[in-house]
Amino acid sequence: MVSSDTFRRGLHKGLSTTWELGKVTVPLYIIITLLKYSGILPHIARWLSPIMSIFGLPGEAAVPLVTGYVLHLYAAAGAILSLDLNAREVTILSLMLCFCHSLLVEGAITRKTRIGALPLTVARLASSLAFGIGLNLVL
Amino acid sequence: MILNWELALTEGFIGALRGVIDLAKIVVPIMIGLEILRDLKVLDRLAGVLHPTVKFMGISKEGTFPLLVGIVFGLSYGSGVLIQAANEGKLPRQERYLIGMFLSLCHAIIEDTFIFVALGATPLILVGFRLVPAVVFTWLLFLAFRRWSFAGGERVSGRSTV
């Protein structure tokens, strides 16, 4: 049954998630902003742009992509916030990240169900890259 | 170019804070909504209705519930229910593999989608395209299980003909 406890639990979960994401998002956002201002990020972006252009993304989009793959979606969201990406780029990047994220933590969870983490990770990465390329073509 | 540290730090901090507040405005209502959904036991009821649509991937009636829980609430909830069902002996190993395959590609679609919608992504594309490879990979795995008929594969192939 839905009671006041339901709302309390929901509020608590929402706020603790916000706190968790803030702990990662705020420092990451600041670091990326500093990288942007210092000219290091544009340098990395130029270097990575041939790879990222396969997905129709600018080079600096590699930062949220890798962050999301390794850490989690909230960290990736923080990185996306600090960059100037348009709606199309955010949609492509989001779909790629939805397929494949938090590989460290979620790999451990899937291992608990006794399903091999490696084949699942391969399927996730393959879907992420394939749909990134595909969405760039159709969108 | 000379780096203006003060400006960069201020912009970084204010921007980050604003971003976290924007995400909180989305995350908190979603978490409350999910808790309501859980307490109303909507998914228990939905599992029976949706079972025919997932049968072709080799998911049984018992497996439909953990699958739905994972899709809506996320991987940790979903695998919790999955492990519980496995311990009760309700789910054969192959089916746990199938559900695991599906959920690793497609989980927490409500929370994940809204995070990115907050950043400007198109929700329908995120949900629609996420379901496609999850279904395809799970179905292919099911076909592979049937062909090789793994240990206990009889149960899998038996199901497919039902």
Side-chain angles (χ1 to χ4, degrees), chain B residues 56-110:
Chain B
F56 76 98
M57 295 184 291
I59 309 287
S60 67
K61 264 205 176 73
E62 290 76 23
T64 311
F65 179 59
L67 183 71
L68 281 181
V69 171
I71 293 173
V72 174
F73 295 108
L75 206 54
S76 35
Y77 264 120
S79 58
V81 178
L82 195 64
I83 291 166
Q84 200 185 328
N87 289 341
E88 288 168 10
K90 282 187 198 155
L91 287 177
R93 198 158 70 116
Q94 294 85 344
E95 198 175 329
R96 293 207 305 274
Y97 275 85
L98 294 172
I99 295 170
M101 173 58 89
F102 193 102
L103 289 184
S104 72
L105 285 164
C106 184
H107 56 255
I109 52 171
I110 297 176

Short mmCIF file of all heavy atoms in Angstrom, two decimals, chain B residues 56-110:
data_model
loop_
_atom_site.label_atom_id
_atom_site.label_comp_id
_atom_site.label_asym_id
_atom_site.label_seq_id
_atom_site.Cartn_x
_atom_site.Cartn_y
_atom_site.Cartn_z
N PHE B 56 8.77 -15.29 -26.71
CA PHE B 56 9.60 -15.73 -27.84
C PHE B 56 11.10 -15.65 -27.54
O PHE B 56 11.90 -16.27 -28.22
CB PHE B 56 9.27 -14.91 -29.10
CG PHE B 56 9.85 -13.53 -29.09
CD1 PHE B 56 11.04 -13.28 -29.77
CD2 PHE B 56 9.24 -12.50 -28.39
CE1 PHE B 56 11.60 -12.01 -29.75
CE2 PHE B 56 9.79 -11.24 -28.37
CZ PHE B 56 10.98 -10.99 -29.05
N MET B 57 11.48 -14.87 -26.50
CA MET B 57 12.89 -14.80 -26.12
C MET B 57 13.23 -15.86 -25.07
O MET B 57 14.33 -15.84 -24.51
CB MET B 57 13.21 -13.42 -25.53
CG MET B 57 13.07 -12.27 -26.50
SD MET B 57 13.59 -10.72 -25.77
CE MET B 57 12.32 -10.42 -24.55
N GLY B 58 12.29 -16.73 -24.79
CA GLY B 58 12.54 -17.80 -23.83
C GLY B 58 12.36 -17.38 -22.38
O GLY B 58 12.88 -18.02 -21.49
N ILE B 59 11.59 -16.31 -22.16
CA ILE B 59 11.33 -15.87 -20.79
C ILE B 59 10.00 -16.46 -20.32
O ILE B 59 8.97 -16.31 -21.00
CB ILE B 59 11.24 -14.32 -20.71
CG1 ILE B 59 12.45 -13.66 -21.37
CG2 ILE B 59 11.10 -13.87 -19.26
CD1 ILE B 59 13.74 -13.75 -20.65
N SER B 60 10.04 -17.11 -19.15
CA SER B 60 8.83 -17.76 -18.63
C SER B 60 7.98 -16.75 -17.84
O SER B 60 8.37 -15.60 -17.66
CB SER B 60 9.23 -18.90 -17.70
OG SER B 60 9.85 -18.36 -16.55
N LYS B 61 6.84 -17.20 -17.38
CA LYS B 61 5.98 -16.35 -16.54
C LYS B 61 6.73 -15.90 -15.28
O LYS B 61 6.65 -14.74 -14.89
CB LYS B 61 4.73 -17.14 -16.12
CG LYS B 61 3.52 -16.90 -17.00
CD LYS B 61 2.23 -17.20 -16.21
CE LYS B 61 1.01 -16.87 -17.04
NZ LYS B 61 0.79 -17.86 -18.13
N GLU B 62 7.47 -16.82 -14.68
CA GLU B 62 8.23 -16.49 -13.46
C GLU B 62 9.34 -15.49 -13.76
O GLU B 62 9.70 -14.68 -12.92
CB GLU B 62 8.85 -17.75 -12.83
CG GLU B 62 7.88 -18.72 -12.21
CD GLU B 62 7.13 -19.53 -13.26
OE1 GLU B 62 7.65 -19.66 -14.40
OE2 GLU B 62 6.02 -20.00 -12.95
N GLY B 63 9.89 -15.57 -14.97
CA GLY B 63 11.00 -14.70 -15.34
C GLY B 63 10.57 -13.30 -15.73
O GLY B 63 11.37 -12.36 -15.73
N THR B 64 9.29 -13.15 -16.09
CA THR B 64 8.82 -11.84 -16.56
C THR B 64 8.90 -10.79 -15.46
O THR B 64 9.25 -9.63 -15.73
CB THR B 64 7.38 -11.95 -17.10
OG1 THR B 64 7.30 -13.04 -18.00
CG2 THR B 64 6.98 -10.68 -17.85
N PHE B 65 8.63 -11.19 -14.23
CA PHE B 65 8.64 -10.23 -13.13
C PHE B 65 10.04 -9.63 -12.86
O PHE B 65 10.20 -8.41 -12.90
CB PHE B 65 8.02 -10.83 -11.86
CG PHE B 65 8.01 -9.90 -10.69
CD1 PHE B 65 7.36 -8.69 -10.75
CD2 PHE B 65 8.69 -10.23 -9.52
CE1 PHE B 65 7.36 -7.81 -9.68
CE2 PHE B 65 8.70 -9.36 -8.44
CZ PHE B 65 8.05 -8.16 -8.52
N PRO B 66 11.07 -10.49 -12.64
CA PRO B 66 12.41 -9.89 -12.48
C PRO B 66 12.85 -9.07 -13.69
O PRO B 66 13.54 -8.06 -13.53
CB PRO B 66 13.32 -11.10 -12.27
CG PRO B 66 12.51 -12.31 -12.42
CD PRO B 66 11.07 -11.94 -12.37
N LEU B 67 12.44 -9.49 -14.88
CA LEU B 67 12.79 -8.74 -16.08
C LEU B 67 12.20 -7.32 -16.01
O LEU B 67 12.90 -6.33 -16.21
CB LEU B 67 12.27 -9.47 -17.33
CG LEU B 67 12.62 -8.83 -18.67
CD1 LEU B 67 14.10 -8.99 -18.97
CD2 LEU B 67 11.81 -9.44 -19.81
N LEU B 68 10.91 -7.24 -15.69
CA LEU B 68 10.24 -5.94 -15.60
C LEU B 68 10.84 -5.08 -14.49
O LEU B 68 11.05 -3.88 -14.67
CB LEU B 68 8.75 -6.13 -15.33
CG LEU B 68 7.87 -6.51 -16.52
CD1 LEU B 68 6.43 -6.63 -16.08
CD2 LEU B 68 7.99 -5.45 -17.61
N VAL B 69 11.12 -5.71 -13.35
CA VAL B 69 11.70 -4.96 -12.23
C VAL B 69 13.02 -4.33 -12.66
O VAL B 69 13.28 -3.16 -12.40
CB VAL B 69 11.92 -5.88 -11.00
CG1 VAL B 69 12.73 -5.17 -9.92
CG2 VAL B 69 10.58 -6.32 -10.42
N GLY B 70 13.84 -5.10 -13.37
CA GLY B 70 15.12 -4.58 -13.84
C GLY B 70 14.96 -3.46 -14.85
O GLY B 70 15.66 -2.45 -14.79
N ILE B 71 14.02 -3.63 -15.77
CA ILE B 71 13.81 -2.60 -16.80
C ILE B 71 13.38 -1.29 -16.15
O ILE B 71 13.87 -0.22 -16.50
CB ILE B 71 12.75 -3.06 -17.83
CG1 ILE B 71 13.27 -4.24 -18.66
CG2 ILE B 71 12.38 -1.91 -18.77
CD1 ILE B 71 12.24 -4.85 -19.59
N VAL B 72 12.48 -1.37 -15.19
CA VAL B 72 11.93 -0.15 -14.59
C VAL B 72 12.82 0.39 -13.46
O VAL B 72 13.15 1.56 -13.44
CB VAL B 72 10.49 -0.40 -14.08
CG1 VAL B 72 9.97 0.82 -13.34
CG2 VAL B 72 9.57 -0.74 -15.24
N PHE B 73 13.23 -0.49 -12.52
CA PHE B 73 13.91 0.00 -11.32
C PHE B 73 15.43 -0.03 -11.41
O PHE B 73 16.11 0.64 -10.64
CB PHE B 73 13.48 -0.81 -10.10
CG PHE B 73 12.03 -0.65 -9.75
CD1 PHE B 73 11.14 -1.68 -9.97
CD2 PHE B 73 11.56 0.54 -9.22
CE1 PHE B 73 9.79 -1.53 -9.66
CE2 PHE B 73 10.23 0.70 -8.91
CZ PHE B 73 9.34 -0.34 -9.13
N GLY B 74 15.97 -0.85 -12.28
CA GLY B 74 17.42 -0.87 -12.41
C GLY B 74 18.03 -2.22 -12.13
O GLY B 74 17.35 -3.15 -11.70
N LEU B 75 19.33 -2.28 -12.37
CA LEU B 75 20.05 -3.54 -12.34
C LEU B 75 20.15 -4.15 -10.95
O LEU B 75 20.01 -5.35 -10.78
CB LEU B 75 21.45 -3.31 -12.92
CG LEU B 75 22.15 -4.49 -13.55
CD1 LEU B 75 21.29 -5.13 -14.61
CD2 LEU B 75 23.47 -4.04 -14.15
N SER B 76 20.38 -3.31 -9.93
CA SER B 76 20.58 -3.89 -8.60
C SER B 76 19.27 -4.45 -8.05
O SER B 76 19.25 -5.55 -7.49
CB SER B 76 21.20 -2.89 -7.63
OG SER B 76 20.76 -1.59 -7.87
N TYR B 77 18.16 -3.71 -8.23
CA TYR B 77 16.85 -4.24 -7.86
C TYR B 77 16.55 -5.52 -8.64
O TYR B 77 16.17 -6.53 -8.08
CB TYR B 77 15.75 -3.24 -8.23
CG TYR B 77 15.29 -2.33 -7.13
CD1 TYR B 77 15.40 -0.95 -7.26
CD2 TYR B 77 14.70 -2.85 -5.99
CE1 TYR B 77 14.96 -0.09 -6.27
CE2 TYR B 77 14.26 -2.00 -4.99
CZ TYR B 77 14.40 -0.62 -5.14
OH TYR B 77 13.96 0.22 -4.17
N GLY B 78 16.72 -5.43 -9.96
CA GLY B 78 16.37 -6.54 -10.85
C GLY B 78 17.15 -7.80 -10.50
O GLY B 78 16.58 -8.89 -10.40
N SER B 79 18.47 -7.63 -10.29
CA SER B 79 19.26 -8.83 -10.00
C SER B 79 18.95 -9.36 -8.61
O SER B 79 19.05 -10.56 -8.37
CB SER B 79 20.75 -8.57 -10.19
OG SER B 79 21.17 -7.52 -9.37
N GLY B 80 18.51 -8.49 -7.71
CA GLY B 80 18.06 -8.93 -6.39
C GLY B 80 16.89 -9.89 -6.52
O GLY B 80 16.90 -10.99 -5.95
N VAL B 81 15.89 -9.48 -7.31
CA VAL B 81 14.71 -10.32 -7.53
C VAL B 81 15.11 -11.59 -8.28
O VAL B 81 14.60 -12.68 -8.01
CB VAL B 81 13.63 -9.54 -8.32
CG1 VAL B 81 12.42 -10.41 -8.59
CG2 VAL B 81 13.21 -8.30 -7.56
N LEU B 82 16.05 -11.44 -9.20
CA LEU B 82 16.52 -12.57 -10.01
C LEU B 82 17.18 -13.63 -9.12
O LEU B 82 16.91 -14.83 -9.24
CB LEU B 82 17.51 -12.05 -11.05
CG LEU B 82 17.86 -12.95 -12.22
CD1 LEU B 82 16.63 -13.21 -13.07
CD2 LEU B 82 18.93 -12.30 -13.07
N ILE B 83 18.05 -13.17 -8.21
CA ILE B 83 18.76 -14.09 -7.32
C ILE B 83 17.77 -14.79 -6.40
O ILE B 83 17.84 -15.99 -6.17
CB ILE B 83 19.84 -13.33 -6.50
CG1 ILE B 83 20.97 -12.87 -7.43
CG2 ILE B 83 20.39 -14.19 -5.39
CD1 ILE B 83 21.90 -11.85 -6.83
N GLN B 84 16.78 -14.01 -5.93
CA GLN B 84 15.76 -14.56 -5.05
C GLN B 84 14.99 -15.68 -5.76
O GLN B 84 14.80 -16.76 -5.22
CB GLN B 84 14.81 -13.45 -4.63
CG GLN B 84 14.02 -13.74 -3.38
CD GLN B 84 13.01 -12.63 -3.12
OE1 GLN B 84 13.27 -11.47 -3.44
NE2 GLN B 84 11.88 -12.99 -2.56
N ALA B 85 14.57 -15.39 -7.00
CA ALA B 85 13.83 -16.39 -7.78
C ALA B 85 14.70 -17.62 -8.04
O ALA B 85 14.22 -18.75 -8.01
CB ALA B 85 13.34 -15.79 -9.09
N ALA B 86 15.99 -17.37 -8.29
CA ALA B 86 16.91 -18.47 -8.55
C ALA B 86 17.05 -19.36 -7.31
O ALA B 86 17.05 -20.58 -7.40
CB ALA B 86 18.27 -17.94 -8.97
N ASN B 87 17.15 -18.71 -6.14
CA ASN B 87 17.29 -19.47 -4.90
C ASN B 87 16.04 -20.30 -4.59
O ASN B 87 16.12 -21.35 -3.97
CB ASN B 87 17.58 -18.53 -3.73
CG ASN B 87 18.98 -17.95 -3.81
OD1 ASN B 87 19.84 -18.50 -4.53
ND2 ASN B 87 19.22 -16.86 -3.12
N GLU B 88 14.89 -19.79 -5.04
CA GLU B 88 13.65 -20.55 -4.82
C GLU B 88 13.49 -21.65 -5.86
O GLU B 88 12.51 -22.38 -5.85
CB GLU B 88 12.45 -19.59 -4.87
CG GLU B 88 12.36 -18.67 -3.66
CD GLU B 88 11.36 -17.54 -3.86
OE1 GLU B 88 10.61 -17.58 -4.86
OE2 GLU B 88 11.35 -16.63 -3.02
N GLY B 89 14.45 -21.72 -6.77
CA GLY B 89 14.44 -22.78 -7.78
C GLY B 89 13.42 -22.57 -8.87
O GLY B 89 13.05 -23.50 -9.57
N LYS B 90 12.95 -21.32 -9.02
CA LYS B 90 11.90 -21.06 -10.00
C LYS B 90 12.45 -20.84 -11.40
O LYS B 90 11.75 -21.02 -12.38
CB LYS B 90 11.11 -19.81 -9.61
CG LYS B 90 10.10 -20.02 -8.51
CD LYS B 90 9.29 -18.75 -8.34
CE LYS B 90 8.56 -18.71 -7.01
NZ LYS B 90 8.29 -17.32 -6.63
N LEU B 91 13.73 -20.42 -11.46
CA LEU B 91 14.27 -20.04 -12.77
C LEU B 91 15.44 -20.94 -13.16
O LEU B 91 16.42 -21.01 -12.43
CB LEU B 91 14.76 -18.59 -12.75
CG LEU B 91 13.70 -17.51 -12.74
CD1 LEU B 91 14.36 -16.15 -12.65
CD2 LEU B 91 12.82 -17.60 -13.96
N PRO B 92 15.34 -21.61 -14.31
CA PRO B 92 16.48 -22.39 -14.78
C PRO B 92 17.63 -21.47 -15.16
O PRO B 92 17.44 -20.28 -15.40
CB PRO B 92 15.93 -23.12 -16.00
CG PRO B 92 14.73 -22.36 -16.43
CD PRO B 92 14.19 -21.69 -15.22
N ARG B 93 18.83 -22.06 -15.19
CA ARG B 93 20.04 -21.27 -15.41
C ARG B 93 20.00 -20.49 -16.72
O ARG B 93 20.36 -19.33 -16.77
CB ARG B 93 21.26 -22.20 -15.39
CG ARG B 93 22.55 -21.47 -15.18
CD ARG B 93 23.59 -22.42 -14.64
NE ARG B 93 23.97 -23.37 -15.68
CZ ARG B 93 25.20 -23.44 -16.19
NH1 ARG B 93 26.13 -22.63 -15.76
NH2 ARG B 93 25.50 -24.32 -17.10
N GLN B 94 19.56 -21.17 -17.79
CA GLN B 94 19.52 -20.50 -19.10
C GLN B 94 18.68 -19.25 -19.06
O GLN B 94 19.03 -18.23 -19.66
CB GLN B 94 18.94 -21.41 -20.18
CG GLN B 94 19.76 -22.62 -20.49
CD GLN B 94 19.43 -23.76 -19.53
OE1 GLN B 94 18.82 -23.52 -18.48
NE2 GLN B 94 19.84 -24.95 -19.86
N GLU B 95 17.57 -19.33 -18.34
CA GLU B 95 16.69 -18.18 -18.32
C GLU B 95 17.31 -17.03 -17.53
O GLU B 95 17.13 -15.86 -17.87
CB GLU B 95 15.34 -18.57 -17.72
CG GLU B 95 14.28 -17.55 -18.09
CD GLU B 95 12.91 -17.96 -17.62
OE1 GLU B 95 12.63 -19.16 -17.55
OE2 GLU B 95 12.13 -17.05 -17.30
N ARG B 96 18.08 -17.36 -16.51
CA ARG B 96 18.79 -16.31 -15.78
C ARG B 96 19.80 -15.63 -16.69
O ARG B 96 19.99 -14.42 -16.64
CB ARG B 96 19.50 -16.90 -14.56
CG ARG B 96 18.54 -17.40 -13.49
CD ARG B 96 19.17 -17.36 -12.12
NE ARG B 96 20.43 -18.09 -12.02
CZ ARG B 96 20.52 -19.40 -11.77
NH1 ARG B 96 19.42 -20.11 -11.60
NH2 ARG B 96 21.68 -19.98 -11.67
N TYR B 97 20.46 -16.41 -17.55
CA TYR B 97 21.38 -15.83 -18.53
C TYR B 97 20.63 -14.89 -19.46
O TYR B 97 21.10 -13.80 -19.77
CB TYR B 97 22.02 -16.94 -19.39
CG TYR B 97 23.22 -17.58 -18.78
CD1 TYR B 97 23.10 -18.62 -17.89
CD2 TYR B 97 24.50 -17.14 -19.12
CE1 TYR B 97 24.20 -19.23 -17.34
CE2 TYR B 97 25.62 -17.75 -18.58
CZ TYR B 97 25.47 -18.79 -17.69
OH TYR B 97 26.57 -19.38 -17.15
N LEU B 98 19.46 -15.35 -19.93
CA LEU B 98 18.68 -14.54 -20.88
C LEU B 98 18.27 -13.22 -20.24
O LEU B 98 18.42 -12.15 -20.84
CB LEU B 98 17.44 -15.31 -21.33
CG LEU B 98 17.69 -16.58 -22.15
CD1 LEU B 98 16.40 -17.35 -22.37
CD2 LEU B 98 18.34 -16.23 -23.49
N ILE B 99 17.77 -13.29 -19.00
CA ILE B 99 17.33 -12.07 -18.31
C ILE B 99 18.53 -11.16 -18.05
O ILE B 99 18.45 -9.94 -18.22
CB ILE B 99 16.60 -12.43 -17.00
CG1 ILE B 99 15.31 -13.19 -17.32
CG2 ILE B 99 16.28 -11.17 -16.20
CD1 ILE B 99 14.62 -13.79 -16.11
N GLY B 100 19.67 -11.77 -17.67
CA GLY B 100 20.88 -10.99 -17.43
C GLY B 100 21.35 -10.27 -18.69
O GLY B 100 21.75 -9.11 -18.64
N MET B 101 21.27 -10.96 -19.82
CA MET B 101 21.64 -10.35 -21.10
C MET B 101 20.75 -9.16 -21.40
O MET B 101 21.21 -8.07 -21.71
CB MET B 101 21.55 -11.41 -22.21
CG MET B 101 21.74 -10.88 -23.62
SD MET B 101 23.31 -10.05 -23.88
CE MET B 101 24.34 -11.43 -24.38
N PHE B 102 19.44 -9.38 -21.26
CA PHE B 102 18.50 -8.30 -21.55
C PHE B 102 18.76 -7.10 -20.64
O PHE B 102 18.89 -5.96 -21.10
CB PHE B 102 17.06 -8.80 -21.35
CG PHE B 102 16.03 -7.87 -21.92
CD1 PHE B 102 15.41 -8.15 -23.12
CD2 PHE B 102 15.68 -6.69 -21.26
CE1 PHE B 102 14.48 -7.29 -23.67
CE2 PHE B 102 14.75 -5.82 -21.80
CZ PHE B 102 14.16 -6.13 -23.01
N LEU B 103 18.87 -7.36 -19.34
CA LEU B 103 18.97 -6.26 -18.38
C LEU B 103 20.30 -5.53 -18.45
O LEU B 103 20.36 -4.32 -18.18
CB LEU B 103 18.73 -6.77 -16.96
CG LEU B 103 17.29 -7.17 -16.64
CD1 LEU B 103 17.17 -7.56 -15.18
CD2 LEU B 103 16.32 -6.05 -16.97
N SER B 104 21.37 -6.24 -18.83
CA SER B 104 22.65 -5.51 -18.89
C SER B 104 22.60 -4.47 -20.01
O SER B 104 23.26 -3.44 -19.93
CB SER B 104 23.81 -6.47 -19.07
OG SER B 104 23.82 -6.99 -20.38
N LEU B 105 21.79 -4.74 -21.04
CA LEU B 105 21.67 -3.76 -22.13
C LEU B 105 20.57 -2.74 -21.87
O LEU B 105 20.61 -1.63 -22.40
CB LEU B 105 21.40 -4.48 -23.44
CG LEU B 105 22.61 -5.18 -24.06
CD1 LEU B 105 22.19 -6.16 -25.12
CD2 LEU B 105 23.56 -4.15 -24.64
N CYS B 106 19.57 -3.11 -21.13
CA CYS B 106 18.42 -2.24 -20.97
C CYS B 106 17.89 -2.31 -19.55
O CYS B 106 17.23 -3.27 -19.19
CB CYS B 106 17.35 -2.67 -21.98
SG CYS B 106 15.91 -1.62 -21.98
N HIS B 107 18.23 -1.32 -18.72
CA HIS B 107 17.73 -1.30 -17.36
C HIS B 107 17.52 0.14 -16.91
O HIS B 107 18.05 1.07 -17.50
CB HIS B 107 18.68 -2.04 -16.42
CG HIS B 107 20.08 -1.50 -16.46
ND1 HIS B 107 21.10 -2.16 -17.09
CD2 HIS B 107 20.61 -0.36 -15.99
CE1 HIS B 107 22.20 -1.44 -17.00
NE2 HIS B 107 21.94 -0.33 -16.33
N ALA B 108 16.72 0.27 -15.86
CA ALA B 108 16.45 1.60 -15.28
C ALA B 108 16.08 2.61 -16.36
O ALA B 108 16.60 3.73 -16.37
CB ALA B 108 17.64 2.09 -14.45
N ILE B 109 15.20 2.20 -17.27
CA ILE B 109 14.96 3.10 -18.41
C ILE B 109 14.28 4.40 -18.00
O ILE B 109 14.41 5.39 -18.70
CB ILE B 109 14.18 2.45 -19.59
CG1 ILE B 109 12.91 1.79 -19.13
CG2 ILE B 109 15.03 1.49 -20.38
CD1 ILE B 109 12.06 1.34 -20.33
N ILE B 110 13.59 4.41 -16.88
CA ILE B 110 12.94 5.66 -16.48
C ILE B 110 13.97 6.66 -15.96
O ILE B 110 14.09 7.78 -16.46
CB ILE B 110 11.84 5.38 -15.42
CG1 ILE B 110 10.75 4.50 -16.06
CG2 ILE B 110 11.26 6.68 -14.89
CD1 ILE B 110 9.67 4.07 -15.12
#
